[in-house]
């Protein structure tokens, strides 16, 4: 049962189906938050002597440099760090896209399906007035903007 099961049926089968879909979407959104909190990208270079971990968006979480890498020239070590970082960033971006794409596609589909179907309501009334729905939509917009989706 989702928090959106509380919505009353509208009498319009298509609208009720869309509301049910939105409830399922919100459950997926909560699961997605968990997946995103654990999402990391890993990269390595110089035959595994340099390892980097990043978060989505490229935040550097860790760098490991094997003592053998200190034998590299400073330019080579810098290049290895950058290569590992690039690999880790690409991995994190691909994983992020894999987590967000299905959800964004469903939100876009929901928005398109709702165009012209919602009755006019006074401000502060209806689905958008539900604080959980408003927060979910706000969070989705922030994620899309943050990760340029």
């Amino acid at each position: 049962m989702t928090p959106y099961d509380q919505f009353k049926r509208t009498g319009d089968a298509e609208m009720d189906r869309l509301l049910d879909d939105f409830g399922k979407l919100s459950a997926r959104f909560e699961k997605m938050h968990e997946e995103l909190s654990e999402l990391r990208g890993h990269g390595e270079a110089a035959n595994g002597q340099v390892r980097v971990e990043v978060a989505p968006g490229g935040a550097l979480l860790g760098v490991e440099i094997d003592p053998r890498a200190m034998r590299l020239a400073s330019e080579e070590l810098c290049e290895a760090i950058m290569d590992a970082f690039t690999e880790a960033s690409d991995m994190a971006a691909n994983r992020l896209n894999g987590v967000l794409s299905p959800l964004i596609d469903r939100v876009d589909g929901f928005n398109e399906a709702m165009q012209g179907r919602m009755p006019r309501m006074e401000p502060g009334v209806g689905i958008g007035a539900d604080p959980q729905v408003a927060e979910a939509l706000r969070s989705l917009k922030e994620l899309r903007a943050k990760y340029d989706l």
Side-chain angles (χ1 to χ4, degrees):
M1 182 170 177
T2 70
Y4 307 101
D5 290 335
Q6 68 194 11
F7 295 127
K8 295 179 182 174
R9 299 288 122 203
T10 65
D12 178 331
E14 181 65 11
M15 180 65 77
D16 290 342
R17 184 190 65 74
L18 290 170
L19 289 173
D20 289 340
D21 284 351
F22 187 77
K24 292 173 188 171
L25 182 65
S26 69
R28 175 68 181 119
F29 182 71
E30 290 173 18
K31 185 176 187 297
M32 181 195 68
H33 268 292
E34 292 174 24
E35 292 175 29
L36 289 175
S37 69
E38 299 168 4
L39 194 143
R40 303 286 184 268
H42 301 274
E44 61 179 56
N47 297 319
Q49 294 177 10
V50 175
R51 291 178 297 284
V52 172
E53 180 181 35
V54 300
L60 185 61
L61 299 174
V63 177
E64 292 180 36
I65 300 175
D66 186 288
R68 293 173 293 158
M70 297 310 209
R71 295 183 190 128
L72 298 171
S74 61
E75 296 85 16
E76 291 175 308
L77 181 57
C78 287
E79 186 176 324
I81 292 169
M82 293 302 294
D83 289 346
F85 178 80
T86 299
E87 181 180 320
S89 296
D90 289 347
M91 177 187 283
N94 288 334
R95 288 182 174 173
L96 177 68
N97 191 42
V99 170
L100 294 180
S101 287
L103 185 64
I104 291 171
D105 291 345
R106 300 244 359 239
V107 168
D108 289 343
F110 180 80
N111 287 338
E112 287 175 20
M114 294 303 289
Q115 292 297 320
R117 297 191 59 86
M118 292 295 290
R120 285 227 172 258
M121 297 182 184
E122 295 297 318
V125 177
I127 295 172
D130 183 295
Q132 291 173 318
V133 174
E135 178 61 26
L137 292 173
R138 207 172 14 263
S139 295
L140 280 171
K141 286 180 184 177
E142 289 172 7
L143 285 169
R144 290 179 84 172
K146 181 175 182 178
Y147 298 110
D148 196 30
L149 299 171

